[in-house]
């Protein structure tokens, strides 16, 4: 009893006892959160031990700061630090649930460019149990308030908090040593943030990411033209010529790029209760004059849609951390598709988007890309009921876009960004024409409803293009930007696909998204070539007859006869027709069977593919973080002058009108200077009120 009483007095009547209580509660809580709120892919006893161990050093180091103070201040500083660490955990739980990744400094720095409708998204992904993050803080405050803890006002001898900090740093070093022994090159070769967290902890990841961000900024400041040589040598060595049979078949045609938000390949031909979810896209997909790719993968990282746009416009990968478009879109030099088409073939370029212009820093990045016009939400009527989640509903968006489409001088390069099929997949009852699935997963069950709505909107747009004759002179490209159902929904995904199970390999294959090129007279069919978003620009240029040999790009035409068919994922995983890599393990792509004991030839093939993936990702990162394109200008390209672009509505529309009068080849002029707005028919209920 005497020992228990001594322990009680030490725990509740001394500052070190209080400190130990706070640290232990935080440690237990953090470990439980790791196990229940994240999918870290922990394998083996060493990883399990480090996951249990890694919260301790950071807790000792950070909460121990309070021991340097005296009186009540010391106690409340420890409580405040505990609260801030808990808030960081809570924020990462929400972010991870939606994006399967952790908050980075780049994301936090650019959060203003992605905050549209943030409140609604947070509410949609928050679970009641998430607030247990703060349970230990509430318990501690309660025990202080009811004087269970007696405040020890004496200042500790200085050597005691110093000793605790030294122990904490030593434990951090031990943690890193054990982690490096289990995963060689953890901090130098890792493309997946899950590894950093499961080996070193979330707070260590925050420090690592912050240092990496600062390092990246320093790299840009020091970069020079010599840094580009390794990139140019790699591009030259690995250049693959376009397919001559398709070269220039769409020369001088309009290009209409339709961005299918969060749209996955499995939706093509998918039926729910006997009803096609996407009948209009299914029809396009199977038409004789559509080239459809069924092994086309999204390759996005944390930047999601912005990464897809970066790849499609520039054939450069998004970054490992954050959004390249948000972080570098304003300041960097780019040689993007709209600028190339404008300079080489006289294209007018525009983006139409029923969402906020600042989202993903589009209003700045598009100027760097050389887009002549950008029509965001401010160009559209936004009455009550029009807006859904991240922008104007797709049917209303297409309907209102006609007044801009018909005035674009031809040929034009137009990208239209849809938004209705965006998480959290909410749709007003009056807009729904198909039922929800019943997997029991709220994130998943609304997905086919919003996808079906998007498909109906595509059908209405295609009808308009056919009625006005615009389809005959237009190459239509449709692509899905990234997954709609993340890797945190295995059970529901299995049910949707009528599978008995769904694992990480299945999820990698689930990253397929549609890519279609449609044009009357185009020799179409379903193409089984493996590729990704990095390959879209070279494929488009193949069809348009644009010479891209002198440009810095990491993709290859998917129509090329000897396309490499190595699809890199941003975390270092990959897919090829023969092999796939998932979280450090290798599989046969065709069967999903794990390669447990590869022979020498197989090991060499896997090593070669892995080296290609690592090289392309790292070299692309160098181009962006070092802004290396400022040191190189192809012979047939003039650097984009960002200041010459203005997306202010009144100024931009005056410029458009002037260009239209000058060229006299817009759809409006072709129609005898009569509007084609009446040719667009929609069943959008908002317009029938």
């Amino acid at each position: 009893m005497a020992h228990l009483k001594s322990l009680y007095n030490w725990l509740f009547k001394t500052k070190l006892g209080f400190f130990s209580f706070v640290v232990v509660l935080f440690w237990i809580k953090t470990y439980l959160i790791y196990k229940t709120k994240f999918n870290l892919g922990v394998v083996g006893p060493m990883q399990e031990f480090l996951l249990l161990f890694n919260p301790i050093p950071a807790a000792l180091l950070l909460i121990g700061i309070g021991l340097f103070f005296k009186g009540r201040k010391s106690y409340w500083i420890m409580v405040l630090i505990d609260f801030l660490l808990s808030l960081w955990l809570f924020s990462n739980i929400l972010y991870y649930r939606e994006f399967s990744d952790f908050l980075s400094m780049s994301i936090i720095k650019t959060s203003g460019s992605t905050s549209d409708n943030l409140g609604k998204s947070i509410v949609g992904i928050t679970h009641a149990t998430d607030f247990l993050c703060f349970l230990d803080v509430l318990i501690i405050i309660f025990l202080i308030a009811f004087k269970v803890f007696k405040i020890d006002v004496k200042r500790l001898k200085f050597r005691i908090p110093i000793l605790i900090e030294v122990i904490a740093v030593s434990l951090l070093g031990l943690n890193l040593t054990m982690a490096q022994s289990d995963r060689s090159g953890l901090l130098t070769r890792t493309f997946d943030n899950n590894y950093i967290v499961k080996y070193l902890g979330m707070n260590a990841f925050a420090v690592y990411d912050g240092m990496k961000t600062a390092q990246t900024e320093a790299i840009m400041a020091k970069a020079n033209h010599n840094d580009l040589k390794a990139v140019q040598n790699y591009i030259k060595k690995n250049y693959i010529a376009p397919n001559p049979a398709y070269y220039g078949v769409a020369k001088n045609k309009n290009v209409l790029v339709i961005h299918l938000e969060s749209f996955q390949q499995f939706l093509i031909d998918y039926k729910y209760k006997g009803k096609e979810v996407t009948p209009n896209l299914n029809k396009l997909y199977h038409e004789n004059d559509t080239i459809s790719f069924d092994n086309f993968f999204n390759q996005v990282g944390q930047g999601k849609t912005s990464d897809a746009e970066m790849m499609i416009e520039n054939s450069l990968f998004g970054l490992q951390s954050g959004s390249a478009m948000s972080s570098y879109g304003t300041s960097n030099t780019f040689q993007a598709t709209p600028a190339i088409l404008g300079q080489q073939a006289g294209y007018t370029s525009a983006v139409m988007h029923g969402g906020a212009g600042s989202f993903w820093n589009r209003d700045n990045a598009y100027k760097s890309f050389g887009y002549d016009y950008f029509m965001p939400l401010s160009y559209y009527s936004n009455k009550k009921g029009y807006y859904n989640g991240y922008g104007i509903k797709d049917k209303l968006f297409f309907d209102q876009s006609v007044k801009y489409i018909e005035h674009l001088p031809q040929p034009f390069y137009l990208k239209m960004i849809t938004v209705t099929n965006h998480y959290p997949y909410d749709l007003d009852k009056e807009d729904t024409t198909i039922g929800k699935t019943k997997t029991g997963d709220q994130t998943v069950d609304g997905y086919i409803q919003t996808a079906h709505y998007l498909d109906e909107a595509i059908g209405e747009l295609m009808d308009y293009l056919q009625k006005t004759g615009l389809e005959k002179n237009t190459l239509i490209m449709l692509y899905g930007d990234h997954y709609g159902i993340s890797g945190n929904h295995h059970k529901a995904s299995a049910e949707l696909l009528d599978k008995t199970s769904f694992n990480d390999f299945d999820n990698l294959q689930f990253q397929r998204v549609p890519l279609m090129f449609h044009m009357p007279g185009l020799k179409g069919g379903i193409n089984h070539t493996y590729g990704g978003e990095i390959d879209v620009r070279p494929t488009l240029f193949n069809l348009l007859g644009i010479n891209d040999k002198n440009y810095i790009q990491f993709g290859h035409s998917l129509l090329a006869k000897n396309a490499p068919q190595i699809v890199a994922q941003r975390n270092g995983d990959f897919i090829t027709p023969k092999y796939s890599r998932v979280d450090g393990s290798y599989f046969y792509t065709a069967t999903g069977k794990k390669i447990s004991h590869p022979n020498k030839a197989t090991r060499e093939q896997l090593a070669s593919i892995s080296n290609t993936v690592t090289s392309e990702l790292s070299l692309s990162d160098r181009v962006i973080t070092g802004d290396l394109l400022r040191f190189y200008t192809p012979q047939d390209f003039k650097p984009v002058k960002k200041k010459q672009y203005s997306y202010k509505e009144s100024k931009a529309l005056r410029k458009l009108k002037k260009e239209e009068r000058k060229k006299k080849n817009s759809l409006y002029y072709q129609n005898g200077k009569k509007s084609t707005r009446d040719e667009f028919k929609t069943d959008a209920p908002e317009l029938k009120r």
Side-chain angles (χ1 to χ4, degrees):
M1 290 295 294
H3 290 298
L4 287 176
K5 185 175 181 180
S6 296
L7 178 61
Y8 177 86
N9 288 335
W10 176 81
L11 190 62
F12 292 104
K13 295 183 180 180
T14 69
K15 190 177 295 183
L16 282 177
F18 177 80
F19 166 73
S20 301
F21 187 84
V22 174
V23 168
V24 169
L25 282 188
F26 179 80
W27 168 43
I28 294 171
K29 173 188 71 178
T30 302
Y31 176 70
L32 291 175
I33 287 172
Y34 283 167
K35 296 291 286 184
T36 60
K37 298 294 184 179
F38 303 112
N39 182 25
L40 298 177
V42 177
V43 178
M46 177 59 83
Q47 291 186 15
E48 286 286 1
F49 172 74
L50 289 176
L51 190 73
L52 175 66
F53 177 77
N54 72 48
I56 298 173
L60 290 173
L61 184 70
L62 297 172
I63 297 173
I65 293 171
L67 296 176
F68 288 94
F69 299 86
K70 67 178 181 178
R72 299 181 69 87
K73 182 187 293 185
S74 175
Y75 285 72
W76 287 113
I77 287 174
M78 284 188 269
V79 172
L80 176 61
I81 293 171
D82 188 11
F83 170 76
L84 293 174
L85 292 174
S86 301
L87 183 62
W88 179 241
L89 272 173
F90 179 79
S91 301
N92 274 281
I93 288 171
L94 301 187
Y95 188 81
Y96 192 93
R97 182 169 293 134
E98 171 60 5
F99 298 111
S100 299
D101 209 340
F102 299 95
L103 281 166
S104 66
M105 291 303 297
S106 299
I107 289 292
I108 293 169
K109 285 170 64 178
T110 59
S111 59
S113 70
T114 58
S115 59
D116 187 47
N117 199 45
L118 183 60
K120 185 176 180 180
S121 290
I122 289 175
V123 171
I125 62 177
T126 302
H127 298 171
T129 55
D130 297 341
F131 293 99
L132 293 176
C133 270
F134 303 103
L135 181 60
D136 63 321
V137 179
L138 294 175
I139 290 172
I140 292 165
I141 292 174
F142 177 85
L143 294 177
I144 292 175
F146 285 87
K147 299 183 179 180
V148 176
F149 282 111
K150 307 300 181 184
I151 303 298
D152 183 0
V153 297
K154 300 189 297 294
R155 185 192 294 271
L156 290 174
K157 292 181 180 179
F158 190 68
R159 67 174 181 269
I160 295 177
I162 287 292
L163 178 61
I164 289 173
E165 297 298 290
V166 170
I167 291 172
V169 172
S170 300
L171 290 176
L172 282 170
L174 177 62
N175 188 171
L176 180 59
T177 300
M178 290 189 292
Q180 291 277 22
S181 68
D182 193 63
R183 172 90 178 169
S184 179
L186 175 65
L187 299 181
T188 56
R189 293 178 58 83
T190 296
F191 284 95
D192 189 346
N193 294 331
N194 279 308
Y195 278 89
I196 306 294
V197 173
K198 72 180 176 182
Y199 277 112
L200 302 179
M202 195 169 294
N203 296 305
F205 165 72
V207 174
Y208 162 79
D209 180 71
M211 293 174 64
K212 188 177 63 178
T213 300
Q215 184 183 35
T216 297
E217 292 174 350
I219 289 171
M220 181 179 287
K222 296 178 181 178
N224 59 62
H225 67 278
N226 291 322
D227 297 318
L228 191 63
K229 288 183 179 178
V231 178
Q232 289 176 306
N233 290 338
Y234 182 88
I235 298 295
K236 184 178 180 180
K237 180 181 177 182
N238 293 277
Y239 175 76
I240 292 175
N243 187 334
Y246 280 97
Y247 192 80
V249 296
K251 191 175 184 65
N252 295 324
K253 297 286 187 181
N254 298 316
V255 179
L256 173 57
V257 178
I258 302 178
H259 170 110
L260 304 173
E261 175 62 40
S262 305
F263 196 97
Q264 293 180 238
Q265 176 69 17
F266 85 90
L267 289 167
I268 299 296
D269 294 331
Y270 186 81
K271 291 183 179 181
Y272 180 61
K273 293 185 176 180
K275 183 175 182 178
E276 286 184 286
V277 175
T278 59
N280 295 294
L281 287 168
N282 295 346
K283 180 183 176 184
L284 264 177
Y285 184 83
H286 292 289
E287 284 188 350
N288 292 330
D289 47 12
T290 300
I291 303 174
S292 302
F293 294 88
D294 62 355
N295 288 311
F296 179 78
F297 292 79
N298 86 77
Q299 298 173 284
V300 305
Q302 286 188 340
K304 295 299 183 289
T305 295
S306 68
D307 284 355
E309 291 194 69
M310 179 63 70
M311 286 184 276
I312 284 166
E313 304 289 15
N314 298 279
S315 199
L316 297 172
F317 289 99
L319 298 175
Q320 178 186 356
S321 177
S323 161
M325 225 164 87
S326 295
S327 300
Y328 298 94
T330 303
S331 58
N332 271 28
T333 298
F334 293 97
Q335 292 151 11
T337 299
I340 294 171
L341 291 181
Q343 293 181 26
Q344 283 199 32
Y347 275 73
T348 300
S349 56
V351 180
M352 297 177 189
H353 173 47
S358 60
F359 201 86
W360 292 126
N361 193 37
R362 286 187 174 107
D363 49 0
N364 293 307
Y366 287 162
K367 293 175 183 177
S368 300
F369 292 175
Y371 268 110
D372 296 315
Y373 304 99
F374 175 36
M375 287 106 171
L377 179 62
S378 58
Y379 283 67
Y380 292 80
S381 173
N382 185 16
K383 297 179 181 179
K384 184 178 180 181
Y386 280 23
Y387 200 90
N388 185 65
Y390 286 81
I392 299 292
K393 295 175 186 176
D394 296 338
K395 292 181 181 180
L396 302 171
F397 165 60
F398 286 146
D399 175 61
Q400 292 191 53
S401 295
V402 168
K403 63 185 176 185
Y404 303 124
I405 295 173
E406 66 180 3
H407 291 293
L408 288 175
Q410 300 185 56
F412 59 70
Y413 175 72
L414 169 63
K415 179 165 63 178
M416 303 188 77
I417 301 174
T418 65
V419 296
T420 306
N421 192 44
H422 194 296
Y423 181 85
Y425 311 120
D426 286 336
L427 198 60
D428 293 333
K429 187 176 180 180
E430 63 182 0
D431 291 309
T432 59
T433 54
I434 195 171
K436 286 187 176 183
T437 55
K438 297 180 180 179
T439 68
D441 189 322
Q442 292 184 359
T443 298
V444 172
D445 285 339
Y447 184 56
I448 69 163
Q449 280 195 334
T450 50
H452 184 66
Y453 177 90
L454 167 59
D455 180 78
E456 290 179 327
I458 295 295
E460 293 177 351
L461 179 63
M462 289 302 300
D463 286 344
Y464 167 78
L465 297 175
Q466 291 163 5
K467 287 178 183 177
T468 58
L470 200 55
E471 183 197 25
K472 295 178 182 177
N473 195 41
T474 301
L475 174 67
I476 301 171
M477 184 185 103
L478 304 99
Y479 75 96
D481 62 336
H482 55 73
Y483 62 77
I485 301 172
S486 75
N488 293 320
H489 305 279
H490 283 191
K491 184 179 178 182
S493 297
E495 189 168 338
L496 280 180
L497 300 177
D498 197 24
K499 294 169 66 76
T500 55
S501 63
F502 190 92
N503 56 30
D504 289 340
F505 170 81
D506 296 319
N507 187 61
L508 181 65
Q509 306 305 313
F510 208 37
Q511 301 310 305
R512 285 177 172 85
V513 292
L515 175 65
M516 307 177 219
F517 293 94
H518 171 81
M519 184 182 71
L522 182 65
K523 184 180 179 181
I526 297 177
N527 189 308
H528 306 302
T529 301
Y530 278 66
E533 289 159 331
I534 201 74
D535 302 308
V536 169
R537 185 171 95 168
T539 308
L540 176 63
F541 282 178
N542 193 159
L543 294 167
L544 295 178
I546 299 295
N547 184 0
D548 59 2
K549 188 173 184 178
N550 294 323
Y551 288 89
I552 301 296
Q553 57 185 25
F554 288 90
H556 310 278
S557 172
L558 295 174
L559 300 168
K561 296 178 180 179
N562 56 340
Q565 301 195 77
I566 297 174
V567 187
Q569 293 292 293
R570 184 59 259 194
N571 63 359
D573 289 345
F574 61 75
I575 312 100
T576 74
K578 191 172 184 179
Y579 303 117
S580 293
R581 181 187 186 275
V582 187
D583 197 20
S585 298
Y586 298 95
F587 300 83
Y588 292 107
T589 301
T591 64
K593 182 180 178 181
K594 188 173 182 179
I595 305 173
S596 300
H597 303 289
N599 58 31
K600 182 180 178 182
T602 301
R603 287 197 303 271
E604 289 176 352
Q605 289 180 58
L606 293 173
S608 175
I609 296 168
S610 296
N611 184 61
T612 297
V613 169
T614 302
S615 296
E616 292 195 353
L617 291 172
S618 60
L619 288 173
S620 177
D621 285 352
R622 268 196 241 178
V623 172
I624 293 176
T625 59
D627 190 18
L628 297 186
L629 293 183
R630 60 186 155 141
F631 303 120
Y632 170 69
T633 303
Q635 291 181 351
D636 54 355
F637 186 82
K638 295 179 181 178
V640 171
K641 296 180 180 179
K642 304 164 193 175
K643 292 183 179 180
Q644 74 181 33
Y645 300 102
S646 173
Y647 300 145
K648 184 178 179 182
E649 185 175 357
S650 57
K651 188 173 182 179
L653 292 181
R654 282 199 302 271
K655 176 186 173 184
L656 178 60
K657 191 173 184 179
K658 182 179 179 181
E659 288 296 310
E660 183 186 25
R661 286 176 174 173
K662 179 180 178 181
K663 296 184 177 180
K664 294 182 173 59
N665 62 357
S666 66
L667 179 62
Y668 175 76
Y669 268 83
Q670 290 176 348
N671 196 44
K673 297 174 71 172
K674 296 179 182 178
S675 176
T676 60
R677 290 204 65 185
D678 289 341
E679 297 297 332
F680 190 94
K681 305 297 182 184
T682 178
D683 63 2
E686 296 83 1
L687 300 179
K688 298 177 181 179
R689 294 170 183 164

